[in-house]
Amino acid sequence: MRWLIPLSAVPVLALLAYGFRVNPREAPSPLVGRPAAVFALQTFEGAPLALEAQRGKVVVLNFWASWCYPACYEEAPVLERNWRAYRDRGVVVIGVDIQDTPEAARKFVRDFSLSFPNARDTTGRVSVDYGVYGVPETFFIDRRGRIRAKHVGGVTDETFRTNVETLLAEPTG
């Protein structure tokens, strides 16, 4: 009977050992292949921003914060550069600022001259709906509104282009 208590700890220790070995960046998202959660936010300029209004376009949905250094600082120019390169091809980049102050977030947008729509997730609901557990995280959404890929960490030019080109190559209808 004395050995039951130590023996019961074995499965817990095995689970912890497995959890510490798994890279969270490589963990598959259960959201991939599912419809993207709809949301409606307000941009920093006060304009309405609804995911549903982007249907028919490829959407790159990026969660960020001004305190996220260096990854968010490294990817901001990448997102802006690729937004400018792809926006005429039916690609939309949407930035969602989470767990941040409005002043710091506005400064971040201004410092990086971000011209794509950015909005604050003031209630945290959008980030919860997308299962965001850290920043930056980026979701690539197809024209039908389905999440096709999730990227954890700073987006690179290669990551952006690979995912967006794949979605643009799919038939539109």
Side-chain angles (χ1 to χ4, degrees):
M1 225 28 186
R2 289 183 7 192
W3 51 270
L4 278 178
I5 292 175
L7 185 62
S8 66
V10 170
V12 173
L13 292 174
L15 186 60
L16 285 173
Y18 172 77
F20 286 124
R21 292 182 51 199
V22 174
N23 183 346
R25 292 176 186 232
E26 297 171 2
S29 171
L31 298 176
V32 172
R34 295 179 180 243
V38 295
F39 61 83
L41 298 171
Q42 189 173 38
T43 67
F44 287 104
E45 294 77 27
L49 177 62
L51 180 63
E52 196 66 21
Q54 308 305 323
R55 187 64 54 98
K57 299 177 182 173
V58 171
V59 177
V60 179
L61 178 63
N62 174 257
F63 291 87
W64 62 272
S66 66
W67 46 262
C68 161
Y69 181 84
C72 293
Y73 285 71
E74 292 171 353
E75 76 171 4
V78 171
L79 292 169
E80 179 64 20
R81 181 171 47 251
N82 284 288
W83 150 246
R84 290 177 185 260
Y86 281 94
R87 65 182 170 191
D88 292 336
R89 294 178 60 194
V91 176
V92 176
V93 176
I94 296 174
V96 177
D97 175 49
I98 66 171
Q99 299 176 351
D100 213 344
T101 65
E103 299 80 20
R106 287 179 195 278
K107 182 179 182 320
F108 184 89
V109 169
R110 191 175 48 251
D111 287 351
F112 287 100
S113 301
L114 301 180
S115 62
F116 55 85
N118 274 279
R120 289 187 65 227
D121 182 14
T122 57
T123 64
R125 182 173 177 190
V126 179
S127 52
V128 168
D129 286 348
Y130 281 85
V132 174
Y133 60 87
V135 285
E137 288 188 17
T138 304
F139 295 83
F140 295 89
I141 302 169
D142 69 16
R143 291 180 178 115
R144 295 177 302 149
R146 292 192 169 273
I147 296 172
R148 299 292 301 280
K150 176 184 176 184
H151 179 80
V152 176
V155 171
T156 63
D157 286 313
E158 181 182 349
T159 301
F160 190 102
R161 291 179 186 145
T162 299
N163 283 288
V164 166
E165 288 291 345
T166 298
L167 297 178
L168 286 174
E170 294 178 350
T172 58

